[in-house]
Amino acid sequence: MKVETIEKLLRDVKENKIEVETALSQLKQLPYEDLGFAKVDHHRELRQGYPEVIYCAGKTVDQVVHIVDMIYKRGSNVLGTRATKEMYEAVKKMHPMAIHNEAARTIVLQQQKIETGKGYIVIVTGGTSDIPVAEEAAVTAEILGNKVERVYDVGVAGIHRLFSKLDIITNARVVIAVAGMEGALASVVGGLVDKPVIAVPTSVGYGANFGGLAALLSMLNSCASGTAVVNIDNGFGAGYMASMINKL
Amino acid sequence: MKVETIEKLLRDVKENKIEVETALSQLKQLPYEDLGFAKVDHHRELRQGYPEVIYCAGKTVDQVVHIVDMIYKRGSNVLGTRATKEMYEAVKKMHPMAIHNEAARTIVLQQQKIETGKGYIVIVTGGTSDIPVAEEAAVTAEILGNKVERVYDVGVAGIHRLFSKLDIITNARVVIAVAGMEGALASVVGGLVDKPVIAVPTSVGYGANFGGLAALLSMLNSCASGTAVVNIDNGFGAGYMASMINKL
Amino acid sequence: MKVETIEKLLRDVKENKIEVETALSQLKQLPYEDLGFAKVDHHRELRQGYPEVIYCAGKTVDQVVHIVDMIYKRGSNVLGTRATKEMYEAVKKMHPMAIHNEAARTIVLQQQKIETGKGYIVIVTGGTSDIPVAEEAAVTAEILGNKVERVYDVGVAGIHRLFSKLDIITNARVVIAVAGMEGALASVVGGLVDKPVIAVPTSVGYGANFGGLAALLSMLNSCASGTAVVNIDNGFGAGYMASMINKL
Amino acid sequence: MKVETIEKLLRDVKENKIEVETALSQLKQLPYEDLGFAKVDHHRELRQGYPEVIYCAGKTVDQVVHIVDMIYKRGSNVLGTRATKEMYEAVKKMHPMAIHNEAARTIVLQQQKIETGKGYIVIVTGGTSDIPVAEEAAVTAEILGNKVERVYDVGVAGIHRLFSKLDIITNARVVIAVAGMEGALASVVGGLVDKPVIAVPTSVGYGANFGGLAALLSMLNSCASGTAVVNIDNGFGAGYMASMINKL
Amino acid sequence: MKVETIEKLLRDVKENKIEVETALSQLKQLPYEDLGFAKVDHHRELRQGYPEVIYCAGKTVDQVVHIVDMIYKRGSNVLGTRATKEMYEAVKKMHPMAIHNEAARTIVLQQQKIETGKGYIVIVTGGTSDIPVAEEAAVTAEILGNKVERVYDVGVAGIHRLFSKLDIITNARVVIAVAGMEGALASVVGGLVDKPVIAVPTSVGYGANFGGLAALLSMLNSCASGTAVVNIDNGFGAGYMASMINKL
Amino acid sequence: MKVETIEKLLRDVKENKIEVETALSQLKQLPYEDLGFAKVDHHRELRQGYPEVIYCAGKTVDQVVHIVDMIYKRGSNVLGTRATKEMYEAVKKMHPMAIHNEAARTIVLQQQKIETGKGYIVIVTGGTSDIPVAEEAAVTAEILGNKVERVYDVGVAGIHRLFSKLDIITNARVVIAVAGMEGALASVVGGLVDKPVIAVPTSVGYGANFGGLAALLSMLNSCASGTAVVNIDNGFGAGYMASMINKL
Amino acid sequence: MKVETIEKLLRDVKENKIEVETALSQLKQLPYEDLGFAKVDHHRELRQGYPEVIYCAGKTVDQVVHIVDMIYKRGSNVLGTRATKEMYEAVKKMHPMAIHNEAARTIVLQQQKIETGKGYIVIVTGGTSDIPVAEEAAVTAEILGNKVERVYDVGVAGIHRLFSKLDIITNARVVIAVAGMEGALASVVGGLVDKPVIAVPTSVGYGANFGGLAALLSMLNSCASGTAVVNIDNGFGAGYMASMINKL
Amino acid sequence: MKVETIEKLLRDVKENKIEVETALSQLKQLPYEDLGFAKVDHHRELRQGYPEVIYCAGKTVDQVVHIVDMIYKRGSNVLGTRATKEMYEAVKKMHPMAIHNEAARTIVLQQQKIETGKGYIVIVTGGTSDIPVAEEAAVTAEILGNKVERVYDVGVAGIHRLFSKLDIITNARVVIAVAGMEGALASVVGGLVDKPVIAVPTSVGYGANFGGLAALLSMLNSCASGTAVVNIDNGFGAGYMASMINKL
């Protein structure tokens, strides 16, 4: 509800077009629906091509199916993350056009057309084991309306692999760098491009890796400017952040 | 050296305009100066209004003065971070127009005009103790050519303070959220805006704060989408990242 | 045994009303039974409506059944926490009126009437995954004789949800704030109410959450006054503490 | 602004008692000033006998003097925590009746009469080195209108000292247990009383104490029910929480 | 080989009783078999009533059976720790007199008579969940020739339970205090006795317990003198250490 | 007060030898002075040759002088640990026979004769930097009535140094192993002797030593049986524990 | 592409032997294929006797089989690490001469002759549980063309076992010291030899071992010079590093 | 004492050339002086050009001067690490030819000629702040008889700087990679060379760097084979290890 709407409401009251009670009832909704809080609600509003996101981990198959269906009926595109194969199959029974990205562990159910905007987001990974996290980022960015280029397995131990893809990386509008182990990829990429880099540490590794802590600290301490970090294995968060940046 | 330059070089050889030896000598420089690595060097190139950055911590006063002077002579704007008052005063003797932001611990020496681009970056802080970090971000973003709005001391313990500034925050193109203690500001702001949020944990706090670790973990685990995190107290990194995003 | 009791005992000895041996025998019990230590035993005494609590984790089904039965026979209400479904079913065979809260993992066996005292305790959670911990707190507080209001899934990423329930929260006598991930809920709630807030970090989250450590540190460093913290996932402890406060 | 106020506003518009513009202007303030947000502001309101609190650490002497003076002029009592002797002396020049508790590092400037309510809060410490934190809690609770009893240096290594004070401890309405090293005091006290215990870990100790971490973890894992924990060395937070509980 | 043996060897050479080569061959074994290194080997020597210990974790059933049998044939008593039921049953087939302590996860195979020495070792635990670790300590101390008294489930949350057993605890020559959660038991017991206390943190607990870390730090920081700590859950180590002390 | 004493008291009352009031007054002292709690108080009682210990860190010079004097007047020997040179000089003015061990940072004031008991305690250190901690242990053990042998700078990097002292080490009744860096000394010594070893990690080292954490973890995980650990740099605790063991 | 090649290319252009376009196309490949980057590619080149390494963890059986086969067909020897028995059996069906080291979890498929160079690498372990890691190092070093001696189960708790193998250890060119628990072996060995020691912490242990952290910190803090450390359980890394050293 | 020496001793006894007592006395010294333990002592023996090393941190100026002098008189070269300027000046008074490397904090006193062996060791650093650690490594390697090349300030954020020095790096026999912040340099260098890389994390950085922990974990988890790590800031250890490798 915009200021103009309130003004109109007041005028309608003045001109006896609506009852005081009706106006009151509408105004009581203000704090969390309209008067400046519209933005609060933005990511739950139904917009064309904009998905609602379900974090499936810790939910039952039935809950997931139910929520997917409810959102679908409201006309929205649906993105489920951290979804199991079992969840997907249950969803598919009801919505045969649901798509499963097994690596990314995502379910996508699209009914609205998605318009991709300017340029593209590039997602680079250090190794093949980082791909599930990268795919979660890719699927997220795509359903949010971005073109995505994938440059996988270009870790710094064989840096020529990275250089052979330099063009595709430096021409992106936003870079997502996904790496486990020591996470050096983010620093090297950050030093090579002049675009924002979203660094995603993964839990790939063992021993003193401590579940991704090594890569996380490495990325937070990156000597390359223009890098910011999301949580370990948080492909969705990286894709979402990159999309927000790309949409500017 | 662009591809066209190489092509021209080859044609010049073919047409005997230059000697093989001369061409060879130029081509030997390729790998790290030109042929695709130009981008490598981007942030050190001299561009109008684009500063070079000196991380002053761990350098002597003499070293800082020397580096500032050297950069200045190349015609570039200069930004010194983590600079002491003593450093500033030494720089000022040589360059009286140098400006010191005491809170931010920055030295700025500007000779090129700075063009601010689209919109503005907003910087919010939880408390007054977070201001030095926020100012480092602000000075960095400004010298890089961005308009900056400061919204300080709007921590979540008195959330009405934050709401009273909601307009200025939601209208920014990029948000930098600076907070110590439990760092909850980033999550609350992240939930209120639909723009990218750069979260900066600060070392403000005591006890189980562990030098900013509490705020850092809090921000990495933020339940709000569209948030990425830089290192503890890294105002420069946040300002640089926000600038990169805003310049898109 | 009060000082007066000892005095009387001595006078009885003096007046030959009791034997030295009898007096001696009574005095030997002093240190831990009477002389000021009566309170030591308080929470194991049988009082009307006051339950005994069994921490079922790490106990066999048989042990749980046996202890439940033993307490029941003494006439007390029984609360079992961290109980499996299997434990519940074994208990139910013997005591069909036993009630299982599957989410809370509790078994309640009530034979004494429970009087609820003044006002109510409100339990808020950040997300739906925090509900098991919240339910453990709720069941605990209820069996201890408190009215409980549940306000679930009002995390700070969509802060309007929290505000829409502000009345029910601010009117409570004690607030229990249950949240995982970054645990910002406790700070925001703590800033909105002027009642004691018991913060319960949960292990909900992943990556740099480190099994609830992020939420724990966040809550300990809360910038809102009037907040204290219990162990990660310790719903029982929060319910118990809140009850103690509410009973004042 | 209550619902009735809005209703009246609408009727005034309808009856042409006020202009649409005036009504609009008032309604625009709703979200953060009136409609349920009055409570947000509660703890900053000026009430009789209720102090405003200044966290002095990280502020300059001038800033502290200025803020104290500003609050004083509004008629409120003032509490400054983590204040240096130098700060106190500067405050005293302007407000000679300011009182300094050197151990607690507090400045108190009282102009409103303080009414102490029901019963008392007892503060116990393990050793003498924990007294500064305990005194910060004591001064806080007192200025907030509570009677405080101090029972210091009763650590568990000589448990008879604790028992000799059992009466004063068990008769309190709220207990604050302050301890460094291994922090076992909180568990022992928690097992002896049936009142809420606020546990305050202190950074007293060395080696594997890790700045209070040992006591913090110990208190969070306390086997005694009815205990909640505040941040390391957070005497203010404990005093504030205890006061909130005691005021119920 | 004692000094006298070497002297005899030399005299034999001198008197041509043995060849230089034979003497040389014997002397070459000196460094690690005899000349002061006898002590090195002490705990593997076959002594009456002294067992050999097998750490069964990480070994196959076959390996355990084989090692038990080999030691048995040398005439020694055998102690297997961290043994599964399956291991025990395999051992029992070959040595029917083998005894399994299921709680302690030990296998004992005794053929030599065990003489218990002076006094007794008392083992106290905070809760019932600490009993497996306590039993490992008990079985170890017993097979090493000590009388052991068990005082279980006397945690500090109900300190009267501990006091009711004070006689048996204070009369021991060595105390082993086994506790999880916050591990306060070690400090309280350490303050009550004037005998050496071996503190054993257990991994019993959850949340911020971090697998026994809370109890470990608590015990290392104990404010009671006369306490030393072994590894988390290391009942064997505590029993062994206590035995060494008791044998003095 | 023994049971017999109470019995006598009762008989005296019965036989009118003492007044009820007198008996009552004596009985009121029971819980923490006599009736089974006598042991509680043991280490504060005045015994011949048994010192009282003052932990000087965090105390003012005046406080230390005052406490030393007070204890001295009760006829006891005095041990001050973590004492500065300044503290010592202030004590010496009043008690010229006070002795300062500068390395150990101890003040000893002896007036009672000390009887050394059986055998001796050996203290070994890895390096020369560990000596202050070792000396604190030595002075503590000596004033408590033990003969002490010092074997310093025998770290495992040059293991022959250790072996050249093997006799003196293996003949001790108790071994204290003091080491920083990786703390391997405790394991090697533990494997060479069959006496109890008290391991003391020191904070000597840098980098990934983390203030003694490396040595602490190393010693807790020692593969040698018969070892227990005290807090980092806790020489006093080791000396006290060793004395308790040696006095058995 | 060497400098001479570029010179030739230029001359060919000059002499019209090739077209400008052809030359341009070749020059564009320079940065990452030739001009000094040849070394980048070295470890993936096919050399006689030099294996390619597959890290099998996190790969499917099919993927492993496929990669093994692909490498084999290029004529190279193959080393698979962290391979399951199931992977081995699948590989074996296609390549019957594949060899499985079950302890090391390696698959080796050799078709090129391996020349062992100078001297040998010795691998020592503290216990038998460290053998899998040691074997991974051994197999790696062997396939890379080194002679390996195994000296297992010579931990410092029984140091005579280590000394009995001193000759074989001190005569090696490189030592790999593999140990879990407190990892003291690396320091002791490092003090005994004057050859480079690669220390490998293992995750063998429990409690405060924290998955190998204790051994890792211990080895990093080793007081013996000439020691460097690889990641926890990283037998492959140790074998590779030792081979690189031995090949010098 | 070699085996031949013992044989001769025995023959001398046999032939009555020496007395049994004399032989016995000599044999008693065997275990730690001769019989295979000669190697134990190797690094303390006086060899031509081989220095003795003094770790000056924690020593007084007088102690350092004394030890330097003592070693010098034995004819050895001397290396003092972590030496202050004050120490150097005190040493210089007595030995004017002593050389101070202020960055490296080393004192070198050379009297024996140093022969440099094969090839050279290259030391690379990420930034200029890493130079002190690098210089400690350089001075150590040089005094131990190695040629050293320094390649400083070639961090991965500007990777072209590293590539411009690729020749000098790839031609070394051993590489020492010194880096703070995220330590990615070690991985990138490790991927570019086929020589052993000693990685040295430094404590350069701030925030979530945790005193070098970030770089340490990064280097331990390096995805490049052929890398091993020494302690944070341990330049000496890296230089020593590199020298050992280079001398093979």
Side-chain angles (χ1 to χ4, degrees), chain A:
Chain A
M1 197 183 274
K2 298 289 157 45
V3 168
E4 306 83 62
T5 323
I6 309 181
E7 194 174 349
K8 184 175 178 308
L9 193 74
L10 290 172
R11 296 207 184 279
D12 286 353
V13 168
K14 183 166 188 170
E15 299 161 14
N16 285 316
K17 288 187 182 157
I18 62 168
E19 289 306 297
V20 164
E21 286 67 29
T22 314
L24 181 61
S25 159
Q26 286 182 36
L27 284 169
K28 277 166 72 180
Q29 308 305 317
L30 288 180
Y32 40 90
E33 265 195 62
D34 302 287
L35 235 198
F37 285 96
K39 281 174 197 85
V40 175
D41 215 4
H42 64 85
H43 61 276
R44 279 175 186 78
E45 278 178 293
L46 184 64
R47 304 200 212 130
Q48 291 303 93
Y50 206 91
E52 294 228 14
V53 183
I54 308 159
Y55 180 75
C56 301
K59 295 201 172 64
T60 64
V61 172
D62 280 358
Q63 287 176 321
V64 169
V65 170
H66 182 76
I67 302 174
V68 166
D69 191 52
M70 197 179 68
I71 297 173
Y72 183 82
K73 282 176 180 151
R74 280 191 274 160
S76 194
N77 292 340
V78 187
L79 168 61
T81 63
R82 310 268 160 141
T84 62
K85 200 181 172 79
E86 196 192 353
M87 287 170 182
Y88 167 65
E89 270 152 22
V91 167
K92 201 183 177 180
K93 273 183 201 152
M94 196 173 283
H95 300 284
M97 74 183 190
I99 293 168
H100 190 214
N101 182 322
E102 207 165 336
R105 291 173 297 165
T106 51
I107 300 170
V108 166
L109 185 54
Q110 186 187 336
Q111 53 184 319
Q112 304 289 344
K113 191 156 169 284
I114 301 167
E115 307 274 356
T116 55
K118 295 164 282 187
Y120 63 87
I121 295 166
V122 73
I123 303 179
V124 297
T125 75
T128 53
S129 315
D130 303 315
I131 290 178
V133 176
E135 279 298 308
E136 193 186 60
V139 170
T140 300
E142 285 168 347
I143 190 80
L144 284 162
N146 301 275
K147 191 157 174 283
V148 171
E149 293 289 340
R150 292 154 167 89
V151 177
Y152 291 170
D153 196 20
V154 291
V156 302
I159 211 163
H160 63 297
R161 295 178 298 175
L162 182 64
F163 286 150
S164 72
K165 301 287 186 181
L166 214 49
D167 272 2
I168 206 167
I169 297 172
T170 53
N171 289 331
R173 297 189 86 231
V174 190
V175 182
I176 296 175
V178 183
M181 305 189 78
E182 90 285 55
L185 182 66
S187 292
V188 173
V189 167
L192 289 173
V193 304
D194 58 354
K195 295 291 161 40
V197 176
I198 312 299
V200 193
T202 72
S203 53
V204 169
Y206 58 93
N209 182 286
F210 299 122
L213 181 62
L216 171 63
L217 292 183
S218 184
M219 286 169 170
L220 284 168
N221 285 282
S222 174
C223 52
S225 303
T227 305
V229 186
V230 297
N231 197 0
I232 299 163
D233 289 338
N234 190 4
F236 166 72
Y240 198 100
M241 179 76 175
S243 173
M244 272 201 174
I245 295 172
N246 193 35
K247 297 274 167 153
L248 283 182

Side-chain angles (χ1 to χ4, degrees), chain F residues 157 163 182 187 191 208 218 221 223, chain G residues 157 159 163 182 187 191 208 218 221 223:
Chain F
F163 286 148
E182 92 283 53
S187 292
S218 184
N221 286 284
C223 52
Chain G
I159 211 163
F163 286 148
E182 91 283 55
S187 292
S218 184
N221 286 283
C223 53

Side-chain angles (χ1 to χ4, degrees), chain E residues 54-188:
Chain E
I54 308 159
Y55 180 75
C56 301
K59 295 199 172 64
T60 64
V61 171
D62 279 359
Q63 287 175 321
V64 169
V65 170
H66 182 76
I67 303 174
V68 166
D69 193 50
M70 197 181 67
I71 297 173
Y72 183 81
K73 281 176 181 152
R74 279 192 273 159
S76 194
N77 291 340
V78 186
L79 168 62
T81 64
R82 310 268 160 139
T84 61
K85 201 181 170 76
E86 196 192 352
M87 287 171 181
Y88 166 64
E89 268 153 24
V91 167
K92 202 183 177 180
K93 273 184 201 151
M94 196 174 282
H95 299 283
M97 75 185 189
I99 292 169
H100 189 215
N101 182 324
E102 207 166 335
R105 292 172 298 165
T106 51
I107 300 170
V108 166
L109 186 54
Q110 185 186 336
Q111 52 184 321
Q112 303 288 343
K113 192 154 169 286
I114 301 167
E115 307 273 354
T116 56
K118 293 164 285 186
Y120 64 88
I121 295 166
V122 72
I123 303 179
V124 297
T125 76
T128 52
S129 315
D130 303 315
I131 289 177
V133 176
E135 279 298 308
E136 193 186 62
V139 171
T140 300
E142 285 168 347
I143 189 81
L144 284 162
N146 302 274
K147 192 157 173 281
V148 171
E149 294 288 339
R150 289 153 169 91
V151 177
Y152 290 169
D153 196 22
V154 292
V156 301
I159 212 165
H160 63 296
R161 295 177 301 174
L162 182 65
F163 285 150
S164 72
K165 301 288 187 180
L166 212 51
D167 271 3
I168 205 167
I169 297 171
T170 51
N171 288 331
R173 295 189 86 230
V174 190
V175 182
I176 297 175
V178 184
M181 305 188 78
E182 91 284 53
L185 183 67
S187 292
V188 173

Side-chain angles (χ1 to χ4, degrees), chain C residues 6-74:
Chain C
I6 309 183
E7 194 173 350
K8 185 177 176 304
L9 192 75
L10 290 172
R11 292 207 186 280
D12 284 354
V13 168
K14 184 167 189 167
E15 298 162 16
N16 283 316
K17 288 187 184 159
I18 63 168
E19 288 307 298
V20 163
E21 285 69 26
T22 314
L24 181 60
S25 158
Q26 287 181 35
L27 284 169
K28 277 166 70 179
Q29 306 305 317
L30 288 181
Y32 40 89
E33 265 196 61
D34 302 288
L35 236 197
F37 286 96
K39 281 177 197 81
V40 175
D41 216 2
H42 64 86
H43 60 276
R44 277 175 188 76
E45 279 178 292
L46 184 64
R47 305 202 211 127
Q48 291 304 92
Y50 206 91
E52 293 228 13
V53 182
I54 308 159
Y55 180 75
C56 301
K59 295 198 173 65
T60 64
V61 171
D62 280 357
Q63 287 175 320
V64 168
V65 170
H66 182 75
I67 302 175
V68 166
D69 192 51
M70 197 181 67
I71 297 175
Y72 183 81
K73 281 177 180 151
R74 278 192 274 159

Side-chain angles (χ1 to χ4, degrees), chain F residues 47-70:
Chain F
R47 305 201 213 129
Q48 290 306 91
Y50 205 90
E52 294 228 12
V53 182
I54 309 159
Y55 180 74
C56 299
K59 295 200 173 65
T60 66
V61 171
D62 279 359
Q63 287 176 322
V64 168
V65 170
H66 182 76
I67 302 174
V68 166
D69 192 51
M70 199 181 66

Side-chain angles (χ1 to χ4, degrees), chain D residues 156-157 159 163 181-182 184 187-188 191-192 206 208-210 213-214 217-218 220-224, chain E residues 156-157 159 163 181-182 184 187-188 191-192 206 208-210 213-214 217-218 220-224:
Chain D
V156 301
I159 211 164
F163 286 149
M181 306 189 77
E182 92 283 53
S187 291
V188 173
L192 291 172
Y206 58 93
N209 182 284
F210 299 122
L213 182 63
L217 292 184
S218 184
L220 283 168
N221 286 283
S222 176
C223 53
Chain E
V156 301
I159 212 165
F163 285 150
M181 305 188 78
E182 91 284 53
S187 292
V188 173
L192 290 172
Y206 58 94
N209 182 284
F210 298 123
L213 182 62
L217 292 183
S218 184
L220 284 167
N221 285 282
S222 175
C223 53

